[in-house]
């Protein structure tokens, strides 16, 4: 049976959107943070396998920066547009650096 791999770009974007969703709907920010962290770890593992350690490090920094940057951005454009915007940016970077090679 073939092993199905979810692209790291989907995992990373899903972690950002999913983490925010869980935190918002459960009103438990640590639970949203756990979703964010697990997805980030899974994406980072794929980034390292597909593109190497330096690229994985850079993409991990981008993932964390997207999370942090979504907060001030949300004050300007709203929470959901900010989350979707940073998730899209991270997904694009992940695809360009790691997924398109696979």
């Amino acid at each position: 049976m073939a092993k199905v791999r979810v692209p790291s770009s989907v995992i990373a974007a899903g972690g950002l959107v999913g983490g925010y969703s869980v935190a918002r709907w459960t009103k438990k920010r640590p639970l949203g943070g756990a979703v964010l962290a697990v997805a980030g770890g899974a994406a980072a593992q794929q980034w390292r396998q597909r593109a190497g350690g330096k690229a994985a490090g850079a993409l991990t920094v981008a993932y964390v920066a997207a999370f942090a940057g979504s907060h001030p951005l949300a004050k300007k454009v709203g929470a959901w547009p900010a989350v979707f915007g940073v998730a899209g940016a991270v997904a694009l970077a992940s695809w360009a650096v790691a997924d398109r090679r696979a």
Side-chain angles (χ1 to χ4, degrees):
M1 179 176 258
K3 188 175 186 179
V4 176
R5 284 206 162 181
V6 177
S8 62
S9 55
V10 173
I11 295 170
L16 289 161
V17 173
Y20 175 69
S21 299
V22 167
R24 181 173 176 144
W25 288 322
T26 65
K27 300 198 184 318
K28 296 184 189 310
R29 292 178 74 174
L31 190 56
V35 170
L36 182 80
V38 168
Q45 182 179 11
Q46 284 192 21
W47 294 331
R48 188 172 43 260
Q49 289 171 351
R50 293 181 181 169
K54 288 183 182 180
L59 288 167
T60 300
V61 167
Y63 183 78
V64 173
F67 166 70
S70 69
H71 292 82
L73 183 60
K75 293 179 182 186
K76 296 179 188 269
V77 300
W80 283 111
V83 170
F84 285 129
V86 300
V90 168
L92 182 60
S94 179
W95 176 83
V97 173
D99 291 342
R100 74 178 167 154
R101 299 173 188 224

